[in-house]
Amino acid sequence: GYIKARRIIHHYLADKLLNIQFIAIGDSVEKTEREIYHTNTTVIHNWIDVDKFEERTSPHLSADGTIELKFITVGKCLAEKRHRDVLALVKYLDDKGIACQNIQIGTGPLEQQERQWAEDNGIMHLLTFISSTDEVGKYLAQSNFFLMPSTFEGVSIACLEAMAAGLFCIVNDAPG
């Protein structure tokens, strides 16, 4: 709707007035940009330094031998990233008596609202909020599930890093 129209206009103006060249991180992103937003892009494929991430060969286990639910989300605090859905999942599991923890790395316009929602819903003790860090690999190693319910991102660099760290990745079926 509105965001799509706004993005099309912004890209058109950036292209025509500023001669900006847009990039896409893969073929599917290029196709999405072209077909949905009418933006011409140059493809520069995603890459990560896999040596920065230590792949874990076994999941975190609790004292009774069950898999611990240790989630991590990485990304800006924006409505389309749907961090609030991850927080709601943590609350749901906690309400059902299922132990879990969540690390959320990211900052943005909704960061304080997300923290307040967690506080209001009594789950702050299950969360670690990290606004910004250069040590994502350290936090990936503390987790076993990467959650990315974004409405527009398919496989991001953060997701590739989570895969390199051996995490089970749960992502939304989104274009790009």
Side-chain angles (χ1 to χ4, degrees):
Y2 169 74
I3 292 174
K4 178 181 175 182
R6 188 178 77 186
R7 186 171 181 178
I8 289 170
I9 292 167
H10 286 173
H11 284 202
Y12 178 82
L13 293 173
D15 178 40
K16 298 303 179 196
L17 298 178
L18 302 174
N19 199 28
I20 293 197
Q21 177 61 54
F22 291 90
I23 63 167
I25 58 174
D27 296 332
S28 66
V29 175
E30 184 277 330
K31 181 180 177 190
T32 297
E33 290 291 333
R34 180 176 23 86
E35 292 179 0
I36 295 176
Y37 301 113
H38 311 290
T39 303
N40 293 320
T41 62
T42 299
V43 176
I44 299 176
H45 290 280
N46 259 346
W47 64 272
I48 61 167
D49 182 357
V50 295
D51 295 332
K52 289 174 59 176
F53 304 95
E54 184 176 323
E55 184 174 354
R56 189 176 44 268
T57 55
S58 62
H60 294 280
L61 299 176
S62 62
D64 65 0
T66 59
I67 294 176
E68 291 183 327
L69 298 177
K70 294 188 174 188
F71 308 128
I72 186 167
T73 55
V74 180
K76 284 188 172 184
C77 301
L78 302 169
E80 51 271 13
K81 295 289 190 167
R82 297 176 54 196
H83 292 168
R84 172 83 190 289
D85 290 349
V86 174
L87 299 176
L89 171 65
V90 171
K91 178 166 177 31
Y92 174 82
L93 293 172
D94 187 50
D95 288 347
K96 295 289 184 186
I98 300 170
C100 66
Q101 296 177 337
N102 181 60
I103 298 171
Q104 181 172 307
I105 300 174
T107 188
L110 298 181
E111 181 180 4
Q112 289 307 313
Q113 290 177 15
E114 292 168 2
R115 288 175 184 256
Q116 188 61 54
W117 190 93
E119 184 70 41
D120 293 346
N121 285 276
I123 61 169
M124 282 299 284
H125 66 287
L126 303 172
L127 306 172
T128 303
F129 283 98
I130 301 164
S131 293
S132 180
T133 182
D134 290 331
E135 299 179 328
V136 173
K138 175 176 104 174
Y139 296 103
L140 290 171
Q142 296 173 19
S143 308
N144 53 6
F145 293 91
F146 175 80
L147 304 179
M148 192 177 79
S150 175
T151 58
F152 70 90
E153 249 175 324
V155 179
S156 66
I157 291 176
C159 186
L160 291 175
E161 291 173 346
M163 287 183 212
L167 273 66
F168 186 81
C169 298
I170 302 170
V171 301
N172 198 23
D173 183 10

